[in-house]
């Protein structure tokens, strides 16, 4: 499939949840603080659970 065909289907992609898009903006902003980022993570229960699972993993 060529890139033009892919671009025609871009509207079919699911949207990111608002909390995820805000978190991405905060992480990519050099002026964001850890407190701001942690607030964004805490707004989404699923994201918080995943971060806690990673933090408690013996692998990391």
């Amino acid at each position: 499939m060529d890139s033009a065909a892919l671009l025609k289907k871009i509207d079919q992609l699911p949207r990111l949840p608002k909390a995820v898009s805000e978190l991405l903006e905060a992480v990519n902003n050099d002026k964001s603080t850890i407190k701001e980022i942690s607030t964004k993570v805490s707004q989404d229960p699923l994201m918080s659970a995943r971060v806690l699972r990673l933090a408690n993993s013996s692998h990391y």
Side-chain angles (χ1 to χ4, degrees), residues 26-42:
V27 168
N28 289 324
N29 184 355
D30 292 337
K31 296 179 181 179
S32 291
T33 65
I34 294 295
K35 185 172 182 162
E36 292 170 345
I37 292 171
S38 65
T39 300
K40 301 288 183 195
V41 170
S42 68

Side-chain angles (χ1 to χ4, degrees), residues 16-25 40-41 43-45 47:
L16 284 175
K18 184 178 179 184
V20 174
S21 61
E22 288 178 359
L23 177 63
L24 286 172
E25 287 178 21
K40 301 288 183 195
V41 170
Q43 290 175 351
D44 186 77
M47 197 173 353

Side-chain angles (χ1 to χ4, degrees), residues 1 4 10 13 17 19 21 27-28 45 47 50 52:
M1 185 175 282
I10 199 159
L13 291 172
S21 61
V27 168
N28 289 324
M47 197 173 353
R50 289 182 177 178
L52 287 172

